[in-house]
Amino acid sequence: MRIKIQSYITAFLLLVLSATAMAAGKLSPDDGNGTLKGVVTDKKDGSAIIGASVAVPDIKSGTITDANGHYSLTGLPKGIHLVQVSYIGYATFTQEVDFSKTTVLNIQLQSSSIETGEVIITGVSKATEIKRDPVPMVAVGKAYIDQHSASGNVIDEVANLPGVSAVTTGPNISKPYIHGLGYNRVITLQDGIRQEGQQWGDEHGIEVDQNAIDRVEIIKGPASLTYGSDAIGGVVNLITAPSVPDGKMLGSVQGIYGTNNGLINGSFKLQGNNNGLVWGTVISDKEAKDYQNQHDGRVFATGFQEKDARAMIGLNKSWGSTYLNASLFDDLQDIPDGSRDSLTRQFTKQITDADTYRPIVPESELNSYAIPTLHQHVQLYRIYDNSDFILGGGNLFVNLGYQYSHRREYTHPEDADVPGLNLELTTYTYDVKYDFDLGKGFETTVGVNGMYQTNNLGYSTDFPIPAYHQFDIGPFFVMKKTYGKLDLSGGLRQDSRSFSGQAAYVDTTTQYFPKLYTGPNPTTTPNVTQQFSALNKTFSGTSGSIGATYNFSDSFLLKGNVARGFRAPSIAELSANGADPGSQIYHVGNSNFKPEFSLQEDIGAFLTLPNVSASAEFFDNNIQNYIFQEQILDANGNAERVNADGSPNPQGQYSKFTYVQSKARIAGGEFSLDIHPVSWLHFENSLTLTYGTNLGTGAKVPDSLKYLPFIPPMHTHSELRGTWAKGMGDFKNLYAFLGFDHFNAQGHYFSAYGTETYTAGYNLISAGIGGNVVDKNGKKILEIFIEGTNLANKNYQSNMSRLKYFDNAVVPAGVQPGIFNMGRNISFKVVVPFDLSAHTKS
């Protein structure tokens, strides 16, 4: 199957590349006649600003200013687009420019301790300033990502932002949570294409190469209006690098080393642009051994090996732009289970399917990069195209995607090649929308998006979910209008999702190795049992939002938004009936579930002064038919443990969980205060509060059921940061920071049936330092980023870590069960840029 898929991808790429080359050959230089040039200077003294970024986010086009502050953009599309100019130490400049009328734009940047004018493209048809959009959003760029290189994956890099967190299963497995919602309630995108890879599962992360991501934009709240079902909690858009300037061929080689788990992360990048024909590639390879902390020592089976590759080719012309991307994500991931020797508390490992005896894991294996016999292999092949065409006075956006996710978990220690789990998920996504001016300044977008999905069960011995087909479709419209200082936006959407699950029978004749039965008369054949019944379901719902932003002045604004979200139950919630080896859970679904509907109100106030900025944001989200998991108890009131086939066994490998449905409310807020006493010094502070309450189904809710699972505790972050853009001598763009994070104890947890337990509070200290090394002409020759996390080497457990519950079924009295989080880690990142451009003589 793998060879077949790779053949399809190769053939498709060759076809599209040929068509693109033919199209490029028919286009003359005059076809890209949209140009914009000018000079960027300091408003105070008129001096040229060297290396300022000039970008058009809509078309992923940009350049940097030269030694005289000059810039030039070519091949720009007709129409009105937002231009963004930014440089460290200056307020970001943003302005809408009509490229059919304006060819020269000189820009003066104002020196500022506080960066303003942040631009976002997620959730809107055209780039817009965050401050002008009523929907709560946050964005971070490449500098932020580089400075947080100690994070093992791209989700952890943003999990410390206000309102954002992550459910983790070790250093390379993280799923985004926004305002207490995650899994199938948060859509992860890459360049606007939704990520599909069995999101219901706990034990694998987001299949994206962190080295290929240049920017992350996050919608904090229901985004069902523009993204449909599964965006009821928000959206995380992982955006790759924009194209390089015309005539350039630029690249870099980078390496990252982490001291805690010996992380080695290398990446090669190369991009080019020739008269609007753009291309790029990123190739990455990273591996790590088991991480360590003082409490557990090295934590067995938390290492990984990941390989990634990405290629892009596209056109930027006056008629618009189109970008074709292809990528491969290939991850070999250890599977921890937390089992220990009852006397020494050293980690043990399973060596037989009968599992009657487990030896202690030797130190040589704990300290090795080798992948153990029990592991998971997750692959994601992806092809997608982002196109923007100038059409009839508006913009037609077409985003099409193909993904093949192959997830295998090898769980038989004596038969290493037999997968316990083998899921093959094929997804086709489509997103077509047209943005135009309806007249009198009413910016309007109409569109339709959705996906077609097929899940197949490959040869395996565990079957947690059935084979199925799924089809989503959702037409929508969004309208915006500005009345002076008041910005209004709103829209409606109608969604429909259809499921068709296949009946399945399992032959249990061979102990430990059940298999799908495909013969005749399954109901009368000995040792054959029904695993799944046939399922046909259709869910539909209306979602929408309306919001406003009032700009009292350039310094103060208020935002408010009301949104109704919709989410259809996932296939796991409807049909699960089996063991998921990596999560250590036996899942049980319920085909009678209704879709979720949410109503969320957001309000925020934002103050930006020359030396102080502050914000206060509040949200209140009421959810009907909220679905969550709770642990099942046996006849003695203990957590029920079962074997892989579901048979009861007090020492069984799996805890049995079922899905339930209830009313729920999640409320909270984020607060920030940033003080800049002098231009180079920043004292940044934030506080995040999230409360999740189970409102039940009518009757009084007992205390043990009062709170929702996986709700992050109160979190405060303080950071003292110094930045010196001009640096000293050959060192430029220098920075240094010292951070302090406090996580409150989580006493509001879902304690019923032993599903969750109390989590103690903890404090973490971090620090970082870095900058660029330049030559005598000011050209960057080296970038260095050093970050230390958990510098006090604190022993702690996060309530958002699933490893907190990985241990023996019974632990000795007085011993804190579960695995603790990573100890002290220091990360070193070095980037060596290079320029292969053809230089012409002046």
Side-chain angles (χ1 to χ4, degrees), residues 480-491:
K480 299 180 180 180
K481 172 66 174 174
T482 296
Y483 297 92
K485 297 182 177 182
L486 179 64
D487 299 306
L488 297 175
S489 68

PDB file of all heavy atoms in Angstrom, residues 480-491:
ATOM      1  N   LYS A 480     -18.255  41.969   6.420  1.00  0.00           N
ATOM      2  CA  LYS A 480     -17.579  42.945   7.270  1.00  0.00           C
ATOM      3  C   LYS A 480     -17.903  44.345   6.788  1.00  0.00           C
ATOM      4  O   LYS A 480     -18.080  44.582   5.596  1.00  0.00           O
ATOM      5  CB  LYS A 480     -16.060  42.741   7.240  1.00  0.00           C
ATOM      6  CG  LYS A 480     -15.589  41.401   7.737  1.00  0.00           C
ATOM      7  CD  LYS A 480     -14.066  41.327   7.658  1.00  0.00           C
ATOM      8  CE  LYS A 480     -13.548  39.997   8.140  1.00  0.00           C
ATOM      9  NZ  LYS A 480     -12.072  39.927   8.072  1.00  0.00           N
ATOM     10  N   LYS A 481     -17.934  45.262   7.747  1.00  0.00           N
ATOM     11  CA  LYS A 481     -18.206  46.657   7.405  1.00  0.00           C
ATOM     12  C   LYS A 481     -17.585  47.553   8.464  1.00  0.00           C
ATOM     13  O   LYS A 481     -17.643  47.259   9.662  1.00  0.00           O
ATOM     14  CB  LYS A 481     -19.723  46.902   7.336  1.00  0.00           C
ATOM     15  CG  LYS A 481     -20.143  48.355   7.186  1.00  0.00           C
ATOM     16  CD  LYS A 481     -19.724  48.960   5.855  1.00  0.00           C
ATOM     17  CE  LYS A 481     -20.287  50.362   5.698  1.00  0.00           C
ATOM     18  NZ  LYS A 481     -19.801  51.057   4.489  1.00  0.00           N
ATOM     19  N   THR A 482     -16.958  48.633   8.029  1.00  0.00           N
ATOM     20  CA  THR A 482     -16.358  49.603   8.939  1.00  0.00           C
ATOM     21  C   THR A 482     -17.132  50.905   8.885  1.00  0.00           C
ATOM     22  O   THR A 482     -17.380  51.455   7.803  1.00  0.00           O
ATOM     23  CB  THR A 482     -14.889  49.858   8.567  1.00  0.00           C
ATOM     24  OG1 THR A 482     -14.150  48.635   8.734  1.00  0.00           O
ATOM     25  CG2 THR A 482     -14.276  50.918   9.469  1.00  0.00           C
ATOM     26  N   TYR A 483     -17.524  51.386  10.065  1.00  0.00           N
ATOM     27  CA  TYR A 483     -18.176  52.692  10.210  1.00  0.00           C
ATOM     28  C   TYR A 483     -17.272  53.562  11.078  1.00  0.00           C
ATOM     29  O   TYR A 483     -17.381  53.550  12.305  1.00  0.00           O
ATOM     30  CB  TYR A 483     -19.541  52.553  10.873  1.00  0.00           C
ATOM     31  CG  TYR A 483     -20.550  51.745  10.098  1.00  0.00           C
ATOM     32  CD1 TYR A 483     -20.684  50.375  10.329  1.00  0.00           C
ATOM     33  CD2 TYR A 483     -21.375  52.342   9.139  1.00  0.00           C
ATOM     34  CE1 TYR A 483     -21.613  49.625   9.636  1.00  0.00           C
ATOM     35  CE2 TYR A 483     -22.305  51.596   8.437  1.00  0.00           C
ATOM     36  CZ  TYR A 483     -22.421  50.236   8.689  1.00  0.00           C
ATOM     37  OH  TYR A 483     -23.339  49.488   8.003  1.00  0.00           O
ATOM     38  N   GLY A 484     -16.349  54.254  10.443  1.00  0.00           N
ATOM     39  CA  GLY A 484     -15.439  55.085  11.212  1.00  0.00           C
ATOM     40  C   GLY A 484     -14.577  54.252  12.138  1.00  0.00           C
ATOM     41  O   GLY A 484     -13.754  53.452  11.692  1.00  0.00           O
ATOM     42  N   LYS A 485     -14.779  54.401  13.452  1.00  0.00           N
ATOM     43  CA  LYS A 485     -13.985  53.673  14.436  1.00  0.00           C
ATOM     44  C   LYS A 485     -14.567  52.299  14.775  1.00  0.00           C
ATOM     45  O   LYS A 485     -13.972  51.546  15.544  1.00  0.00           O
ATOM     46  CB  LYS A 485     -13.866  54.495  15.720  1.00  0.00           C
ATOM     47  CG  LYS A 485     -13.123  55.827  15.541  1.00  0.00           C
ATOM     48  CD  LYS A 485     -13.015  56.556  16.863  1.00  0.00           C
ATOM     49  CE  LYS A 485     -12.217  57.846  16.702  1.00  0.00           C
ATOM     50  NZ  LYS A 485     -12.056  58.577  17.986  1.00  0.00           N
ATOM     51  N   LEU A 486     -15.729  51.999  14.195  1.00  0.00           N
ATOM     52  CA  LEU A 486     -16.420  50.755  14.513  1.00  0.00           C
ATOM     53  C   LEU A 486     -16.263  49.739  13.378  1.00  0.00           C
ATOM     54  O   LEU A 486     -16.579  50.026  12.221  1.00  0.00           O
ATOM     55  CB  LEU A 486     -17.907  51.028  14.749  1.00  0.00           C
ATOM     56  CG  LEU A 486     -18.789  49.819  15.068  1.00  0.00           C
ATOM     57  CD1 LEU A 486     -18.382  49.183  16.401  1.00  0.00           C
ATOM     58  CD2 LEU A 486     -20.265  50.220  15.090  1.00  0.00           C
ATOM     59  N   ASP A 487     -15.757  48.552  13.729  1.00  0.00           N
ATOM     60  CA  ASP A 487     -15.639  47.445  12.776  1.00  0.00           C
ATOM     61  C   ASP A 487     -16.651  46.376  13.152  1.00  0.00           C
ATOM     62  O   ASP A 487     -16.663  45.891  14.294  1.00  0.00           O
ATOM     63  CB  ASP A 487     -14.232  46.842  12.811  1.00  0.00           C
ATOM     64  CG  ASP A 487     -13.163  47.841  12.427  1.00  0.00           C
ATOM     65  OD1 ASP A 487     -13.292  48.441  11.350  1.00  0.00           O
ATOM     66  OD2 ASP A 487     -12.203  48.018  13.197  1.00  0.00           O
ATOM     67  N   LEU A 488     -17.492  45.976  12.192  1.00  0.00           N
ATOM     68  CA  LEU A 488     -18.508  44.956  12.422  1.00  0.00           C
ATOM     69  C   LEU A 488     -18.252  43.767  11.512  1.00  0.00           C
ATOM     70  O   LEU A 488     -17.792  43.923  10.372  1.00  0.00           O
ATOM     71  CB  LEU A 488     -19.906  45.504  12.139  1.00  0.00           C
ATOM     72  CG  LEU A 488     -20.414  46.653  13.015  1.00  0.00           C
ATOM     73  CD1 LEU A 488     -21.762  47.148  12.501  1.00  0.00           C
ATOM     74  CD2 LEU A 488     -20.531  46.200  14.458  1.00  0.00           C
ATOM     75  N   SER A 489     -18.517  42.574  12.011  1.00  0.00           N
ATOM     76  CA  SER A 489     -18.427  41.382  11.169  1.00  0.00           C
ATOM     77  C   SER A 489     -19.396  40.332  11.677  1.00  0.00           C
ATOM     78  O   SER A 489     -19.747  40.297  12.867  1.00  0.00           O
ATOM     79  CB  SER A 489     -16.996  40.825  11.156  1.00  0.00           C
ATOM     80  OG  SER A 489     -16.651  40.295  12.420  1.00  0.00           O
ATOM     81  N   GLY A 490     -19.845  39.472  10.769  1.00  0.00           N
ATOM     82  CA  GLY A 490     -20.755  38.404  11.143  1.00  0.00           C
ATOM     83  C   GLY A 490     -20.988  37.474   9.972  1.00  0.00           C
ATOM     84  O   GLY A 490     -20.594  37.754   8.835  1.00  0.00           O
ATOM     85  N   GLY A 491     -21.626  36.340  10.263  1.00  0.00           N
ATOM     86  CA  GLY A 491     -21.900  35.394   9.195  1.00  0.00           C
ATOM     87  C   GLY A 491     -22.679  34.201   9.681  1.00  0.00           C
ATOM     88  O   GLY A 491     -22.923  34.033  10.885  1.00  0.00           O
TER      89      GLY A 491
END
